Amino acid sequence: MAKTSAGKLMSEWYDVTLKKEALPHRNSVVITVTQGAAAAFGIDDDDDKYSVSEMSVGATKNEKQSRNSREMFGKPGVRNNHLGLERMKSVVAETHITDTESSSTENCKPDPEDSTPAHAVNSGREEEGSHGEGASSKTRRGKDDESTVTEVDEIDNLTGPSSFALFAQTKFQLRTTHVYSCAALQGSLLPKHDRADTLASLASWVTILRVMGDLPESSGQFLSVIGEEPSIIAKVKAGFKQKYSKKDLDEAQKKYSEYFKDPVSAEVSDIPFLPSGKETMLEKIQYLCALGIYRTDLRDELYCQLCKQLTNNPSRNSTVRGWVLMMLFAGCFTPSEKFAPCFRCFLKEGPTEFTQKVEKLTRRTSIAGTRGFPPSWLEFQAAKNSKPILLPITFMNGQRLLIEADAATTVRELGNNLAETLDFKDNEGFSIYVCLHQKISCLGHGLHRIMDAVSECEQHTKTLGMRESSSLWRLYYRKEYFTPWHDAKDDPAATDIIHQQVMRGISLGEYQCQKEEVFVLLGAQKYYLEHSEVTNPKDLDHLCRNWFPESWKADKGVPYFVQKVEEAIKNNFGSKKPPHAQIKADIVTFAIDKWSLMFSRYYDASKVTGPGVNSVNIVVGLSGKGMYVLDNGDSIRVQLAYNEMAKVVKHRHSVNITTVRDEEYTVMSNHSDDFCLLLTTFIEGLQLRSKYAIVIDNQKELRKGDLITLDKAVREYNKLDPFRGLCRRTGKKCEIPRDLVFVLNTVDEPSSEFLAMLSVQLEKDTQVFKNHEDGRPHTLQKYSRYHFRQPNENAVTKMFNKTSLKRGKGKSELMWQFSKDPIKKPLLRKSLNRDDTRLMACRTFTAIQQFMGDAHLKDSVTDIELANRWIVEPASRSRYLRDEVFCQVIKQLTNNSNKSSEERGWLLMLMLATTAIPGDGLYDEAQKFVRSSPLPIAKLCSERLERAKNHGCRLWPPHPAEHDMLSRKLSTVRVKVYIPDNTCQTIDVTSVTRIIDIKREVCTRLGLKTWEEYSLFMSFQDSVHSLQANEYYFDALSHAEMYWVSQKAAIRARLSGPLTPVLVMLKKVWVNINPGHDTVADVSFHFPQELPNFIRGYHQTSDDVTARLASLVYRAKYGNEAKPLKENFSDVSKTIAPKKLLQTQSPEFWSKTITTYYEEGKDLSQDQAKVSFLKVISQHTTYGSIFFEVKQRTQKDLPKNLLVAINMTGLHLIDSSSRKLLRTLEFSQIPNWAFDEDSITLMLIDGTNTTKMLLETSVGHNMDDILMAYISWVMNTQMRRKHGFAGSPTGESSC
């Protein structure tokens, strides 16, 4: 049954998707231009520097957060470099670029209040900003508190108007419509509490009209010298630093009225906030984005102004420009909770090619947070050309790799993608480094946007008098530190990269060694890895000249070292010949022991106190060996091993470390969050992997201080099981409760001296060794003291609360545990202080109660709608509501005596853990809460929270199929993946299964040798869309139903059932296609994908070759059954040979010729016949192509009807009638292209000439996808062949 249905689906798929004809329903329409975004923007001075198929130099700086967001906005984030970072010659040694001043070396501290994953640099802006939509003053808040006392039934419509028209009618303060207009505004669309915001709104309206081409620029002559003008960021800051009176506002409104009467000749230099008009298109866009980044109150205003201009806009160019600007807005900041629901509805009504991108970026920005820099030139070019951003990353083995990114990509996300591409088992300790003009810096702990760093580099380049497109930044991926349990043998792929970094660093003096014998042995290992054990004098001489220090060579001469290395090779590798993987692992292990200080993460500490140290402005480092405190001369002041640490406590800006000697160290730093996170990660990781524990109290035969060697690592025990092991003192096996032992933070056996010290300390005091967890479920009681609001109090309730506190039960104690009563105010202070989250927080709590069965639910509302609309979606949209919702769910699960309610609550917690990440402070509390529960679902929640934090959470709320799966207490749902050979694979999919996971599982089951060139497609009745590898399956399904399936509503209405998308796996990039190399791929993918091309006659073949191929196709289908070929040739011939070619000769000729070839291959099996077919067809230039039937009218030397074939060798133009190959275009000749729903336009380079070719087709999105896939593959292949670290002076970024 599976085979029949799969075959039918695949046949239909080929007939209606990639092979569909060009615009069959619009043959009478003459298309003259592809309505792409780039064409709408016109010609730009730097457009000729942008190319999809070229690489440009790249590297970035980092943007850090600051407690004062306005001071931090746009502030450079490169920090002081210490030790190895200053001496990182292996990165900059070959860079032939003039050294210039770095923009800054200051580093800024993230605000704990804004410690969400991938924090924005505007941390704290909402708290410290003006009293606008985002925050309100205390006087206003006190008044509004009374208004929050709202009954459940009265807050069902808190999301506000569902349409933009209704939102404008109810929220706009001006008498203006919601539709397109080019008239002047008399004020801001939305109410403002600051005159500066009103003036900025008026300026943004004019700038939006300029960007969209709806308002002409001033005709004044401007002379602008690059580098002399203040930056966009400086202009925005300067505008808001001034104080404005009502007179200033009235005068500005009058000037705007005059300006709109004659925008070409009007003077605009004295209008506040309004750009002069001499700015480039990029600068205008950056100015608008900077306003939204800097001022929370302007974000909804900007979105509303742009939505207004996109509603009923009569101009195609203006509309396209507006949607490109919307994409750039979405990558920088999101609308507030007041406008967000309406904005989502607005997107559903827009053009799909733009709205689906805006939707995705909006969801990603909601998770990543507001960015700190406006968009870069690279992002603008990518947006207006509808192309992804491809960032080149250089590895320490000299290879490079292109990784796709977008505006919301964080450093952590980029590192995870790199590790997965390189097949690393663990990427802990690897970091992204950036280089600009020989200045290098590490991007920190991975929560910063990579494109913020690119934008900062471009801004710095502009201050030097160059254009943004000339910025010479570069990115590097290298090992920063090792974990204490690192074993080089466990991860061969990572070890290969690390060993290259070590060897290169040694040769350039980054990692220094003074012992000659060690240097000689390392040189022998290097030679053995590169040339095997057979010595060659020329190769040895070359190695020694580049390996040993110059002073050593000048002292003893090169021949001396040649002899030494040769002897070392013979002694160590002459007879043993160890495998290369073992040598590389030995080199990495040596580096861990020898240069632990060089492989460390360093933090600037304002003060460090403790035994032997009391210093300010000092450096603290964490390595695989322990914690180091260094002075300005890089001398070690304090060294503390991890097995000496007993307890780590985090405060707001400091970390307290208590040792087993009961000594205390305090580290005060602006990076205390990251420092504590890494330190606790090391300690907890050592405890879980440890097999050593000491007895802290006498019990039976065990004495205090006895060392117990556990029979397995701690993490392999169940939570409540006692420990079992061997007592070293008695030599007997024993079993001991967990609360009577102290697990040592080590994977190595402790020394006798260390054990003696512990015994002495145990006799003094055992308090520091005791496990402070009492086994009871964790609660938010302590967390609520610092983050929850105070209970409602007046003169009467205050007196009663004091009385109840004396009895031990106050009202505040009830706020963190289960309650059947609805709340009238948010739990968290930060939710209470914001206008846009205050009421919604109360509604989410009511929805949680309704979902858990603790409050009445209307019959018309389903569980799916309740959970997604009122709980999960608000939590994913707003980081303030995110923490609020997590606290509310934990509250309702704490001391909940109703088992049914508790079960539903845990189900809700699982949904949240998959789709949202709580802030750093709450994340630890949430993990402690779920880990303290013995329920199986709690363990799954903990795993989902950890996965979301490390690898990113879902973008969409749970899909209905997911809800059904969870409600039935299932962990997976079965999904069918159809294969071209008319079979299908059934895959078990979880909530966190990604597309790449499904692809790899299918490849593993089939036994394919490679998996990278395959892709999953979601197919419908008349279209097909490629799925991104890192996308979650259920997110892809939700996206498809929103933007792809919903377009087929009319068709679906005529069907008996819903239109269900089909998951198909195909070979997308035809590499590794030599027939016989991978028989499984030949049979399952290559043959069934090539067969339709042959049957349609897309390949130009002679009669003899056609007959031979037809005989092989017949044998592949029917095997040794020759009867149909002889008795029913007329019907069989239609399925084994091209119809047009069969018409060139008589049926008798073809029957006889095909039968002759068929009988000659009688020894072939069906699979062998398929491979033989591929061997014959692979001789043609068009082998491995995806074909598109198109029409063209722009090239007079080409026929109107064409076949476009795309394969690894390029894009081929074929005469649709004669099947003659007319022209082959290499990918290097196609620097760019644009597509819309009716056509695709290719930009072609022929020598010094550039032309455009317009092709009419309704599957331009498929052509775009295939072209981008091949060009990315070709660029990556070329970059892997080019070893080097300097990069070319033409840049290294690509879109």
Side-chain angles (χ1 to χ4, degrees), residues 870-904:
W870 295 109
I871 303 172
V872 178
E873 277 280 18
S876 63
R877 280 198 305 258
S878 170
R879 62 193 177 94
Y880 295 97
L881 283 175
R882 199 170 302 151
D883 284 2
E884 176 73 27
V885 171
F886 268 101
C887 286
Q888 290 176 2
V889 174
I890 295 174
K891 164 186 168 69
Q892 291 303 97
L893 285 173
T894 302
N895 299 335
N896 190 337
S897 58
N898 188 327
K899 296 300 180 183
S900 175
S901 172
E902 184 184 25
E903 183 179 327
R904 301 272 293 174

Side-chain angles (χ1 to χ4, degrees), residues 826-1088:
L827 298 179
L828 295 175
R829 295 173 186 168
K830 59 183 180 181
S831 301
L832 178 67
N833 294 343
R834 294 180 57 86
D835 293 340
D836 60 333
T837 60
R838 191 179 306 132
L839 290 178
M840 179 57 73
C842 299
R843 181 62 184 94
T844 57
F845 184 79
T846 301
I848 290 171
Q849 289 181 313
Q850 292 171 336
F851 186 86
M852 295 174 65
D854 300 319
H856 176 69
L857 177 63
K858 294 180 179 179
D859 295 336
S860 59
V861 181
T862 63
D863 283 350
I864 298 176
E865 180 185 0
L866 184 67
N868 286 1
R869 182 184 178 188
W870 295 109
I871 303 172
V872 178
E873 277 280 18
S876 63
R877 280 198 305 258
S878 170
R879 62 193 177 94
Y880 295 97
L881 283 175
R882 199 170 302 151
D883 284 2
E884 176 73 27
V885 171
F886 268 101
C887 286
Q888 290 176 2
V889 174
I890 295 174
K891 164 186 168 69
Q892 291 303 97
L893 285 173
T894 302
N895 299 335
N896 190 337
S897 58
N898 188 327
K899 296 300 180 183
S900 175
S901 172
E902 184 184 25
E903 183 179 327
R904 301 272 293 174
W906 278 110
L907 186 64
L908 195 56
M909 174 63 80
L910 183 60
M911 295 181 194
L912 285 172
T914 307
T915 55
I917 312 171
D920 283 347
L922 184 59
Y923 174 83
D924 295 335
E925 295 290 327
Q927 277 288 23
K928 290 177 181 178
F929 174 79
V930 297
R931 287 174 180 173
S932 64
S933 173
L935 298 175
I937 194 173
K939 181 179 180 181
L940 188 57
C941 289
S942 177
E943 294 172 355
R944 294 282 172 86
L945 282 170
E946 185 174 1
R947 180 187 177 89
K949 187 174 181 66
N950 295 331
H951 301 283
C953 62
R954 293 263 302 276
L955 299 182
W956 290 77
H959 187 269
E962 209 175 339
H963 274 280
D964 181 63
M965 175 186 73
L966 295 174
S967 63
R968 291 192 292 164
K969 299 182 180 179
L970 299 176
S971 58
T972 62
V973 62
R974 294 198 160 189
V975 175
K976 288 185 177 181
V977 180
Y978 292 93
I979 310 298
D981 64 350
N982 296 340
T983 63
C984 71
Q985 294 287 332
T986 303
I987 307 296
D988 290 330
V989 173
T990 69
S991 297
V992 292
T993 299
R994 298 172 302 161
I995 298 300
I996 193 174
D997 300 326
I998 299 176
K999 181 172 71 171
R1000 283 183 168 178
E1001 177 65 20
V1002 173
C1003 291
T1004 301
R1005 289 187 185 183
L1006 296 177
L1008 298 173
K1009 292 184 177 180
T1010 57
W1011 59 268
E1012 293 90 345
E1013 61 266 33
Y1014 299 90
S1015 286
L1016 287 178
F1017 294 81
M1018 201 163 276
S1019 175
F1020 310 101
Q1021 286 192 340
D1022 62 348
S1023 67
V1024 61
H1025 297 266
S1026 178
L1027 302 179
Q1028 293 185 357
N1030 289 322
E1031 193 172 16
Y1032 288 100
Y1033 169 75
F1034 282 115
D1035 279 352
L1037 195 57
S1038 298
H1039 180 89
E1041 292 179 354
M1042 176 67 71
Y1043 291 103
W1044 301 337
V1045 180
S1046 61
Q1047 295 178 14
K1048 320 300 175 187
I1051 300 175
R1052 193 166 63 245
R1054 295 193 295 267
L1055 300 177
S1056 58
L1059 183 62
T1060 304
V1062 177
L1063 207 59
V1064 183
M1065 181 168 167
L1066 296 172
K1067 183 117 179 178
K1068 182 176 180 179
V1069 179
W1070 281 66
V1071 294
N1072 304 318
I1073 54 175
N1074 293 330
H1077 171 70
D1078 189 345
T1079 306
V1080 176
D1082 290 338
V1083 173
S1084 300
F1085 291 91
H1086 300 162
F1087 175 79

Side-chain angles (χ1 to χ4, degrees), residues 591-600 602 622-625 628:
I592 294 173
D593 297 331
K594 176 68 176 177
W595 297 296
S596 61
L597 273 179
M598 302 298 294
F599 289 99
S600 303
Y602 290 98
L622 294 177
S623 75
K625 299 297 182 182
Y628 301 89

Side-chain angles (χ1 to χ4, degrees), residues 642-656:
Y642 296 118
N643 60 3
E644 298 182 43
M645 301 180 188
K647 186 171 62 173
V648 177
V649 178
K650 168 72 174 63
H651 300 288
R652 184 170 185 182
H653 295 301
S654 65
V655 177
N656 288 349

Side-chain angles (χ1 to χ4, degrees), residues 47 72 407 795 822 1154:
D47 277 350
M72 188 52 223
I1154 293 174

Side-chain angles (χ1 to χ4, degrees), residues 54-104:
E54 290 180 356
M55 279 72 72
S56 54
V57 179
T60 59
K61 283 189 179 177
N62 179 32
E63 162 92 25
K64 300 270 185 176
Q65 300 184 43
S66 173
R67 292 184 353 181
N68 191 331
S69 59
R70 298 189 176 182
E71 292 180 2
M72 188 52 223
F73 168 66
K75 187 174 181 179
V78 179
R79 63 183 179 183
N80 286 319
N81 299 326
H82 302 284
L83 294 176
L85 205 56
E86 287 284 357
R87 301 192 289 262
M88 200 170 293
K89 300 177 183 178
S90 60
V91 174
V92 298
E94 298 180 5
T95 306
H96 305 295
I97 304 174
T98 305
D99 188 297
T100 57
E101 284 297 322
S102 175
S103 58
S104 174

